[in-house]
Amino acid sequence: MNILCNPFFLLFVIGGLLFLLRVLLISTGLIYTTKKWWKSIEDRFHVYQLYKVPEFNESMQENQLYSKVSVYLNSLASMEDSDFTNLFTGKKSDEIILLLNSGQVIDDDFLGASVSWINEVKTDASRSRAFVLKIRKADKRRILQPYLQHIHTVFYEFEQKKQRELKLYMNTDRDQNQNPRWRFVPFNHPSTFETIAMPSDLKNKLKSDLESFLKAKQYYHRLGRVWKRSYLLYGSSGTGKSSFIAAMANFLGYDVYDIDLSRVLDDSDLKLLLLQTIRKSVIVVENLDRFLLDKSTAVSFSGVLNFMDGILNSCCADERIMVFTVNSKDHIDPAILRPGRIDVHIHFPLCDFSAFKTLSNSYLGVKDHKLFPQVEEIFQTGASLSPAEISELMIANRNSPSRALKSVITALQTEGELRGSLNVGRRLLDTGSRNSTDDSGEQLGIFSKENFNAIKYITKLYKLLRVRSKGKAQSHDSTPGQKDGL
């Protein structure tokens, strides 16, 4: 009995029981349930203020604060204490990103005050998302503004440590639920100004033009002009226009918005797409001439003009690069090409010897070769191919630079022979159009039987030479050729 009355023994027993209780609570998960009960009781004695941070505003523009809050919450250690957390692979293969599930809560402490964030995702057709900040009214005046500033600071520190991941946005069809029109994927295009086939002096001029644009915000605003720059890229398919756009985006660190005009319903819909773009972006409309000539879209000509420099453009195109691509300027209305709508015109010709050497260095690692003089001589005769065609031959024969150069020579010679054959065919056609008449005196037109057979023979000969050249190029390398695609 004396032992039981000993205060040290009683303290020891009580401490042991508390320790066992703690172990029991932790091992069974009851401690988390106890914390929830305690917090529920505590909430009844406090009045809270809720602040909602939606992903998009009423005009369906992206809310930048939502992105910053998402990055901030992902940096909190308490993210791991949430009941349900999603795991995603980050930009790097070994990077794991934690994101809250719908309805989950994460707690945070700031200046001695406790706050909570709730991830709210609506289950209706809109599937809209938002973060809801829950803060005590007693602490609101003291910590709200400093806390929001703290979120901005953490976000910008995170951005400085990590290179900003660029995105490629694509417009989707409009639906009745008013879902966001833009969907994005990571923009990982490897093209740079160093890898594109373009004369060095032109590269340097364009890089200087872009660098001047980045520093010209105050200059543009002092002039009363919107801070944007517009480029027209014109040239045949496969000459590198899309590669140049990717190089621009990587050089500037800008996201890319690729507008598919065939998915645009009308002029107002096109304006809405522009409204939903963000600063620091490259807005691209490819094959503009095809849409204007074929009228394969519901967008009118005046709608295109307003998109390029209308009132909405002046209000919503600040700090943006606008790029339009066409195959030829010959049939483009001068109203589109005037200064103000298009600031810089860049021609992308077929490959010449200078561009060929750039491609050879990039694709084969060859800066000089004994076959270069022969290649240059063929170029001087007027034969030429697109950079994409030459790139395909080099990729297919990348293990043997000599074989790759020989395949390019064969292709150039074939192209030259074809051009000469076509000239002969034109002369035959001209002669036929003047002299071809059948025995009954009925006019046959330009396609007389003899001339038709001649053209048919030329076409077969060209196809045979192309097949043989490709067969020789691929017989040594099982890897299929991949077009540059740009």
Side-chain angles (χ1 to χ4, degrees), residues 277-294:
T277 62
I278 63 173
R279 292 173 179 267
K280 297 183 181 295
S281 60
V282 179
I283 301 173
V284 181
V285 178
E286 295 192 276
N287 301 315
L288 179 61
D289 52 342
R290 177 169 63 88
F291 288 104
L292 293 176
L293 294 175
D294 298 342

Side-chain angles (χ1 to χ4, degrees), residues 207-222 227 251-252 254 280 319 321:
K207 288 170 66 175
S208 298
D209 186 70
L210 293 172
E211 288 174 344
S212 299
F213 169 79
L214 291 174
K215 303 173 184 177
K217 178 179 180 179
Q218 300 300 328
Y219 176 74
Y220 274 80
H221 288 178
R222 181 168 58 84
W227 182 27
F251 180 77
L252 296 167
Y254 279 15
K280 297 183 181 295
E319 201 171 1
I321 298 290

Side-chain angles (χ1 to χ4, degrees), residues 242 262 389 408 430:
S242 296
S262 65
E389 291 174 312
V408 172
D430 291 339

Side-chain angles (χ1 to χ4, degrees), residues 305-315:
L305 297 181
N306 289 331
F307 173 79
M308 298 175 75
D309 71 342
I311 293 296
L312 185 66
N313 183 288
S314 301
C315 299

Side-chain angles (χ1 to χ4, degrees), residues 234-236 238-239 347-352 384-387:
Y234 64 100
S236 303
T239 51
H347 181 223
F348 286 78
L350 293 174
C351 198
D352 58 10
S384 185
L385 296 170
S386 70

Side-chain angles (χ1 to χ4, degrees), residues 379-408:
F379 273 116
Q380 290 175 350
T381 64
S384 185
L385 296 170
S386 70
E389 291 174 312
I390 292 180
S391 300
E392 178 186 1
L393 294 172
M394 290 182 174
I395 291 175
N397 299 277
R398 59 186 178 275
N399 295 325
S400 174
S402 296
R403 187 167 66 242
L405 297 180
K406 289 178 181 178
S407 66
V408 172

Side-chain angles (χ1 to χ4, degrees), residues 266-412:
D266 49 34
D267 295 352
S268 298
D269 193 30
L270 184 60
K271 292 179 180 179
L272 179 62
L273 289 173
L274 178 61
L275 185 66
Q276 293 178 354
T277 62
I278 63 173
R279 292 173 179 267
K280 297 183 181 295
S281 60
V282 179
I283 301 173
V284 181
V285 178
E286 295 192 276
N287 301 315
L288 179 61
D289 52 342
R290 177 169 63 88
F291 288 104
L292 293 176
L293 294 175
D294 298 342
K295 296 183 179 179
S296 55
T297 177
V299 179
S300 67
F301 181 74
S302 61
V304 173
L305 297 181
N306 289 331
F307 173 79
M308 298 175 75
D309 71 342
I311 293 296
L312 185 66
N313 183 288
S314 301
C315 299
C316 304
D318 215 35
E319 201 171 1
R320 289 166 175 82
I321 298 290
M322 304 190 74
V323 182
F324 305 90
T325 72
V326 296
N327 288 330
S328 173
K329 296 195 300 181
D330 296 341
H331 303 291
I332 301 296
D333 193 295
I336 289 182
L337 304 178
R338 73 161 177 79
R341 291 196 174 107
I342 299 295
D343 301 314
V344 181
H345 297 237
I346 307 175
H347 181 223
F348 286 78
L350 293 174
C351 198
D352 58 10
F353 183 63
S354 176
F356 163 80
K357 291 194 294 183
T358 302
L359 293 173
S360 179
N361 185 31
S362 299
Y363 285 83
L364 304 175
V366 175
K367 295 184 177 180
D368 195 11
H369 195 276
K370 62 182 181 180
L371 293 176
F372 274 16
Q374 185 178 353
V375 176
E376 184 177 14
E377 183 178 351
I378 298 175
F379 273 116
Q380 290 175 350
T381 64
S384 185
L385 296 170
S386 70
E389 291 174 312
I390 292 180
S391 300
E392 178 186 1
L393 294 172
M394 290 182 174
I395 291 175
N397 299 277
R398 59 186 178 275
N399 295 325
S400 174
S402 296
R403 187 167 66 242
L405 297 180
K406 289 178 181 178
S407 66
V408 172
I409 290 173
T410 302
L412 286 170

